[in-house]
């Protein structure tokens, strides 16, 4: 059996579908379905059982068993970078991760968990363990605190633990995220409604629309999770991006090309956003490659096309 937390979310549901495609159906999915619309992400997936997030945590804390578990993919978290309730954020992202870690270690079960490139804040040092781990929000800090807590325990591990620091993930099955969905979805909606994509004008030393991020297709994120769960005992914290930053102009043009119409319109970045804005991200993949992960990452052009094709197909 595999256990996937956050299974009805963006990355979790893509992971469940990928496991199905590999012939795996003995999957325990865990999530909070207070937002019932998220069920649609799992409508075409097959799994053995479902547990509410809180019920799962209660059973984990009680030391209960779930049968023979091959690995846990811990994708569940509060991912809202604008959330200011630090107590809630630390419970969802730090305490829950510690509980799952303890349960898996006692049973020698591999754990793969989602960290985030938000730990790097506005730094240009994207090395795991480097000087750039200075988050700009409580979300990024909650992820960093667990990474740091785990680092103190590397020498005591009884089973592999892999943390994956996701950069800017996009792809199908994220429409439910609304304002937290990737820019690909927002740009596509803008083109459909107005034939325009609106981008920030120049700031932080970058020209109009040339702020750069490491955009990574969700299928590559899934491939990294599967590699980590079967990585011959590998443990560590690894960046997961393409290793190549691309501009928002590049993404906008890919969306416009898919629609076959549209143009880019620039507007000033709000002053209150500037201090916490990440103008550049680019994953340093040195440690990932040294660990033996040889995934060939998807280009923005191909990933945007596949995302919008899949989204249109799911919309009917």
């Amino acid at each position: 059996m595999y256990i996937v937390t956050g299974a009805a979310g963006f990355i979790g549901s893509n992971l469940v579908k990928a496991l199905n495609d590999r012939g795996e159906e003995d999957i325990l999915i865990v999530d909070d379905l207070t937002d019932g619309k998220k069920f649609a992400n799992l409508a075409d997936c097959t799994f053995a059982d479902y547990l509410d997030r809180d019920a799962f945590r209660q059973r984990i804390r009680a030391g209960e068993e779930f049968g023979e578990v091959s690995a846990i993919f811990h994708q569940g978290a509060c991912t809202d970078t604008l959330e200011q309730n630090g107590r809630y954020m630390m419970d969802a992202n730090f305490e829950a991760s510690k509980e799952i870690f303890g349960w898996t270690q006692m049973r020698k079960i591999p754990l793969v968990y989602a960290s985030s490139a938000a730990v790097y804040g506005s730094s240009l040092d994207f090395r795991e363990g480097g000087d750039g781990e200075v988050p700009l929000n409580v979300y990024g800090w909650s992820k960093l605190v667990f990474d740091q807590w785990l680092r103190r325990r590397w020498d005591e591990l009884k089973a592999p633990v892999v943390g994956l620091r996701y950069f800017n993930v996009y792809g199908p099955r994220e429409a439910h995220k609304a304002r937290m969905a990737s820019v690909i979805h927002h740009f596509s909606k803008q083109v459909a409604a107005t034939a325009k994509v609106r981008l920030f004008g120049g700031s932080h030393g970058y020209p109009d629309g040339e702020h750069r991020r490491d955009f990574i297709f969700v299928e590559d994120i899934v491939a990294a999770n599967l590699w980590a769960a079967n990585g011959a005992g590998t443990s560590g914290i690894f960046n997961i991006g393409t290793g190549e930053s691309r501009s928002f102009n590049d993404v906008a043009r890919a969306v416009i090309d898919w629609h076959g119409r549209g143009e880019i319109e620039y507007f000033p970045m709000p002053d209150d956003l500037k201090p916490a804005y990440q103008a550049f991200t680019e994953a340093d993949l040195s440690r990932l490659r040294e660990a033996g992960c040889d995934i060939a990452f998807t280009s923005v052009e191909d990933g945007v096309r596949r995302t919008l094709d899949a989204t249109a197909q799911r919309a009917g």
Side-chain angles (χ1 to χ4, degrees):
M1 170 185 286
Y2 289 98
I3 299 176
V4 181
T5 73
F10 170 35
I11 295 172
S13 59
N14 277 283
L15 181 53
V16 173
K17 187 65 170 66
L19 287 168
N20 285 172
D21 291 344
R22 291 160 62 102
E24 302 287 351
E25 297 183 352
D26 191 10
I27 305 168
L28 170 62
I29 64 169
V30 177
D31 213 317
D32 174 1
L33 285 180
T34 300
D35 178 3
K37 295 189 297 293
K38 292 198 300 184
F39 91 91
N41 281 343
L42 293 168
D44 61 346
C45 297
T46 303
F47 49 89
D49 203 357
Y50 162 81
L51 266 181
D52 176 77
R53 176 194 61 191
D54 291 342
F56 177 70
R57 288 184 66 180
Q58 289 171 6
R59 291 183 62 175
I60 287 287
R61 287 193 291 261
E64 294 187 25
E65 303 294 335
F66 298 96
E68 186 174 343
V69 178
S70 299
I72 291 186
F73 297 98
H74 180 36
Q75 308 297 313
C78 174
T79 59
D80 187 345
T81 58
L82 300 179
E83 175 62 62
Q84 297 300 313
N85 186 333
R87 185 178 183 184
Y88 167 71
M89 187 71 76
M90 291 301 287
D91 181 63
N93 294 359
F94 181 53
E95 293 298 334
S97 297
K98 288 198 299 181
E99 292 165 4
I100 293 171
F101 168 83
W103 189 89
T104 56
Q105 287 295 298
M106 287 292 291
R107 292 156 181 79
K108 298 183 179 180
I109 295 169
L111 170 64
V112 183
Y113 74 92
S115 183
S116 171
V119 303
Y120 297 117
S122 59
S123 172
L124 298 180
D125 181 356
F126 299 105
R127 296 172 300 143
E128 306 93 328
D131 295 330
E133 297 179 342
V134 186
L136 293 172
N137 52 50
V138 70
Y139 164 69
W141 186 71
S142 72
K143 290 294 190 178
L144 178 60
V145 170
F146 182 66
D147 287 351
Q148 292 175 329
W149 182 88
L150 185 59
R151 283 169 172 157
R152 298 171 62 89
R153 289 158 176 79
W154 285 132
D155 295 337
E156 307 166 10
L157 294 182
K158 298 180 176 64
V161 181
V162 178
L164 301 178
R165 284 185 173 170
Y166 303 154
F167 277 66
N168 286 77
V169 190
Y170 66 94
R173 301 175 194 263
E174 62 168 320
H176 71 280
K177 294 177 67 177
R179 64 184 173 85
M180 296 305 298
S182 72
V183 296
I184 285 81
H185 286 274
H186 292 298
F187 291 173
S188 183
K189 289 181 178 179
Q190 290 174 22
V191 173
T194 68
K196 292 182 179 180
V197 174
R198 302 190 75 226
L199 301 181
F200 287 137
S203 72
H204 299 76
Y206 292 88
D208 292 349
E210 284 298 310
H211 305 101
R212 305 180 70 84
R213 299 279 178 86
D214 193 331
F215 297 97
I216 179 163
F217 188 45
V218 69
E219 290 185 13
D220 297 336
I221 292 287
V222 167
N225 273 270
L226 296 175
W227 165 80
N230 297 283
T234 297
S235 290
I237 298 169
F238 303 101
N239 289 330
I240 303 296
T242 65
E244 178 184 5
S245 68
R246 298 293 300 271
S247 73
F248 284 84
N249 280 327
D250 291 336
V251 177
R253 284 191 286 265
V255 172
I256 288 169
D257 286 346
W258 186 85
H259 281 274
R261 66 190 183 105
E263 60 182 10
I264 300 174
E265 178 180 83
Y266 303 102
F267 68 101
M269 182 182 295
D271 289 339
D272 61 350
L273 182 60
K274 290 180 181 179
Y277 187 75
Q278 283 184 300
F280 177 89
T281 66
E282 185 174 87
D284 182 328
L285 300 182
S286 301
R287 295 194 68 225
L288 182 72
R289 297 310 192 193
E290 289 170 3
C293 182
D294 60 356
I295 296 169
F297 295 109
T298 306
S299 70
V300 159
E301 289 76 14
D302 189 25
V304 166
R305 176 184 56 78
R306 290 163 64 183
T307 295
L308 297 181
D309 282 349
T311 301
Q313 184 178 10
R314 288 177 64 84

